[in-house]
């Protein structure tokens, strides 16, 4: 039985060109989140696991599984895993990070084998492809803009059909309303 809900986000903000991010130990790293990215990661923890289940939007749910693009030969970025880290720690749910960002089919197959609610943290250039694979081509979202880190794509299983929604996170100053279109 496929999950009843799949939520997909992009990793938190990355360093600007020529800058370095900061790893979880405070050391500079070109493969880690920027300070703003870490702020988003922390805010996302309570966004997906709010106190008393008071979600900011009725389409958001507490994930029982977290899948993030992993580190490998084609990408040394740890931003996906770092973005998922605070939520993982809060929920006590391990981050599944064995799929690389280009392994959308394998990641989709894994997630479709889960039940309940799943959250995926992925590379923005691959999210549209990931959604298409998850839905068997039924949903074809717009490409993810380079400058947006503040959107949640949501797939809800309604009687065996995927209903697609997107909502803005509105977690940090400067986050925009609206979705990908």
């Amino acid at each position: 039985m496929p999950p009843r809900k799949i939520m997909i986000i992009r990793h938190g903000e990355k360093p600007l060109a020529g800058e370095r991010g900061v790893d979880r130990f405070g050391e500079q790293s070109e493969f880690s989140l920027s300070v703003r990215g870490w702020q988003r990661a922390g805010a996302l923890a309570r966004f997906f696991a709010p106190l008393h289940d008071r979600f900011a939007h009725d389409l958001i749910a507490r994930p029982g599984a977290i899948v993030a693009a992993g580190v490998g030969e084609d990408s040394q970025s740890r931003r996906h895993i770092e973005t998922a880290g605070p939520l993982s720690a809060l929920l006590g749910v391990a981050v599944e990070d064995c799929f690389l960002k280009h392994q959308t089919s394998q990641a989709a197959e894994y997630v479709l084998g889960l039940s309940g609610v799943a959250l995926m943290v992925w590379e923005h250039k691959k999210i549209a492809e990931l959604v298409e694979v998850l839905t068997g081509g039924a949903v074809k979202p717009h490409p993810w803009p380079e400058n947006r880190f503040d959107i949640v794509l949501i797939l809800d299983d309604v009687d065996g059909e995927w209903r697609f929604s997107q909502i803005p996170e509105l977690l940090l100053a400067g986050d925009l309303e609206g979705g990908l279109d």
Side-chain angles (χ1 to χ4, degrees):
M1 175 177 200
R4 65 179 175 85
K5 182 183 291 285
I6 303 169
M7 301 175 294
I8 305 166
I9 60 173
R10 178 184 184 181
H11 60 73
E13 284 82 343
K14 59 186 177 182
L16 298 173
E19 295 182 357
R20 299 185 127 207
V22 181
D23 68 16
R24 65 187 185 108
F25 303 107
E27 300 295 324
Q28 288 191 351
S29 169
E30 63 185 291
F31 305 116
S32 289
L33 294 168
S34 68
V35 171
R36 183 173 173 87
W38 282 107
Q39 290 171 332
R40 182 169 307 283
L44 283 166
R46 279 296 177 205
F47 183 77
F48 288 113
L51 294 172
H52 311 295
D53 288 333
R54 292 186 183 139
F55 292 93
H57 196 283
D58 61 353
L59 291 177
I60 300 299
R62 185 182 304 265
I66 303 170
V67 180
V71 176
E73 286 184 28
D74 72 332
S75 176
Q76 296 300 308
S77 174
R78 297 200 46 78
R79 291 184 279 275
H80 312 94
I81 299 164
E82 290 170 344
T83 300
L87 177 61
S88 169
L90 181 65
L91 294 177
V93 173
V95 176
E96 178 58 61
D97 64 353
C98 68
F99 305 103
L100 304 180
K101 65 184 180 183
H102 70 276
Q103 294 178 307
T104 54
S105 294
Q106 295 91 331
E109 182 179 349
Y110 174 79
V111 169
L112 290 172
L114 301 172
S115 61
V117 178
L119 173 68
M120 299 184 80
V121 185
W122 221 257
E123 162 71 33
H124 76 286
K125 293 176 185 173
K126 292 292 193 176
I127 289 177
E129 176 184 321
L130 180 63
V131 170
E132 286 187 49
V133 173
L134 283 163
T135 64
V139 177
K140 298 178 187 297
H142 290 280
W144 199 289
E146 180 70 30
N147 64 339
R148 295 290 303 268
F149 296 85
D150 57 356
I151 303 168
V152 182
L153 303 186
I154 302 165
L155 297 169
D156 284 301
D157 181 0
V158 180
D159 299 323
E161 300 287 326
W162 289 111
R163 183 177 61 212
F164 176 71
S165 307
Q166 49 187 321
I167 61 166
E169 295 169 2
L170 301 175
L171 295 173
L172 302 179
D175 279 5
L176 302 174
E177 292 188 25
L180 298 177
D181 41 73

